[in-house]
Amino acid sequence: MPELGQYAGVVLSAWGVGLGLIVALVWASITRARRVKAELERIERGGS
Amino acid sequence: MSIWEYANPKKFITTFGPWVMPLMVVAGVLLVVGLGWGFFLTPEAQNFGSTVKIIYIHVPSAFVAINAWIMMLVTSLVWLIRRHHVSALAARAAAPVGLVMTVIALVTGAIWGQPMWGTWWAWEPRLTSFLILFLFYLGYIALWSAVPEPETAADLTSAVCIVGSVFAVLSRYAVLFWAQGLHQGASLSVDRAEHVADVYWLPLMVSMAGFVALFVALVLMRTITEIRARRITALMARAERAEAVA
């Protein structure tokens, strides 16, 4: 862990928000992609 | 072979589908290297202390936020001129990615601004135009959800995209022609004298490449998802019509 000095809280909170939002965006995109793909396959197979 | 072949939804999925995961891996590697390098291996700046490390998140997210809107403008224009549905869906797919990047840039900027400028927020040109861009993203996404007829939704959101482009451009160039702002000049520039020192510039470039790769991967994945969701809607409508006739 690098020495962040008096601004440790500032740096870590900015990085936390940034990385947290990126992870949430990727997770939401992948989850929706899988759900929609599975639903389309089910419909095309003739499921209700 | 013409570029318009990719306006065919099936062709688009078969061509770009296999690229999504490799692009995700490339984005992941670039982000780990760029962000890790920036966070762990760069020194404090004389004026900003360790807060300089925020640029590795703030600058690439702002860059993607603005250029996502420019990409949406191009694909919206393609929709308006050539009526290719995939083009409109690509714009729709990019909007949430651009929105999240805008939020990251705004929040990390505010967190940085509090200790450095003495305020979380200032109504100065670049920040204000960026906030308006954020509101345009919200409006654009809401409009897509609010209008049930896909072609009308694509037309209306394309109009919003054209108007919002003014603020996308303003948020990038406001610092150049409005001197009264708090926001400093460009961190990256083709003019070497203008951008940050090399020790910060190199990891920043790797982080930028990672953010861009992630944007491309997410937009391709989300466009394919939008195409499939549109197909589901069409199939359900067809089934309902068949039931009504029977």
Side-chain angles (χ1 to χ4, degrees):
Chain A
M1 186 75 174
E3 182 56 56
L4 298 173
Q6 61 172 320
Y7 298 118
V10 172
V11 176
L12 292 176
S13 54
W15 273 66
V17 170
L19 294 181
L21 284 171
I22 289 169
V23 168
L25 173 68
V26 171
W27 181 82
S29 301
I30 291 174
T31 305
R32 179 161 183 259
R34 285 182 178 163
R35 185 169 47 77
V36 170
K37 188 181 181 198
E39 193 179 344
L40 180 59
E41 282 170 355
R42 182 179 56 76
I43 292 172
E44 287 184 327
R45 275 199 312 269
S48 55
Chain B
M1 194 171 113
S2 156
I3 189 176
W4 304 117
E5 279 182 33
Y6 299 102
N8 178 303
K10 229 173 203 170
K11 173 86 175 168
F12 187 92
I13 291 175
T14 52
T15 305
F16 295 110
W19 283 89
V20 172
M21 272 307 132
L23 265 172
M24 279 284 191
V25 172
V26 169
V29 170
L30 287 170
L31 286 173
V32 167
V33 172
L35 295 177
W37 184 357
F39 188 80
F40 292 104
L41 303 174
T42 57
E44 291 189 3
Q46 208 169 13
N47 300 336
F48 305 125
S50 62
T51 65
V52 71
K53 294 177 190 293
I54 294 175
I55 63 168
Y56 304 110
I57 301 277
H58 176 75
V59 173
S61 59
F63 177 81
V64 171
I66 294 168
N67 287 290
W69 194 275
I70 301 301
M71 175 243 142
M72 288 160 58
L73 171 67
V74 172
T75 50
S76 296
L77 288 174
V78 170
W79 160 255
L80 289 174
I81 295 165
R82 300 199 57 127
R83 312 304 282 181
H84 290 314
H85 286 272
V86 171
S87 189
L89 293 177
R92 183 180 190 177
V97 184
L99 175 70
V100 170
M101 293 299 167
T102 308
V103 172
I104 292 172
L106 283 170
V107 173
T108 54
I111 292 172
W112 182 87
Q114 209 287 325
M116 292 298 117
W117 292 343
T119 180
W120 298 98
W121 181 260
W123 293 102
E124 61 100 64
R126 188 175 236 188
L127 271 64
T128 306
S129 52
F130 214 80
L131 179 67
I132 296 172
L133 180 64
F134 164 73
L135 296 175
F136 265 94
Y137 268 120
L138 284 182
Y140 180 92
I141 292 167
L143 194 54
W144 262 111
S145 304
V147 181
E149 211 286 301
E151 295 209 356
T152 309
D155 286 339
L156 292 174
T157 52
S158 295
V160 168
C161 195
I162 291 167
V163 177
S165 300
V166 174
F167 296 96
V169 173
L170 268 183
S171 58
R172 170 66 184 82
Y173 293 105
V175 281
L176 301 181
F177 48 79
W178 269 315
Q180 77 271 31
L182 264 178
H183 202 289
Q184 61 267 48
S187 303
L188 297 169
S189 169
V190 284
D191 182 356
R192 202 168 172 77
E194 220 180 83
H195 64 61
V196 293
D198 280 356
V199 68
Y200 307 113
W201 185 77
L202 290 170
L204 181 55
M205 288 309 291
V206 179
S207 299
M208 294 278 282
F211 270 76
V212 170
L214 180 66
F215 172 74
V216 174
L218 285 174
V219 170
L220 287 178
M221 182 200 295
R222 298 178 68 93
T223 303
I224 289 169
T225 303
E226 293 298 338
I227 291 169
R228 288 179 171 143
R230 178 72 63 86
R231 171 107 178 116
I232 290 172
T233 309
L235 289 174
M236 304 270 269
R238 193 185 299 172
E240 275 174 25
R241 276 197 305 273
E243 262 180 41
V245 170

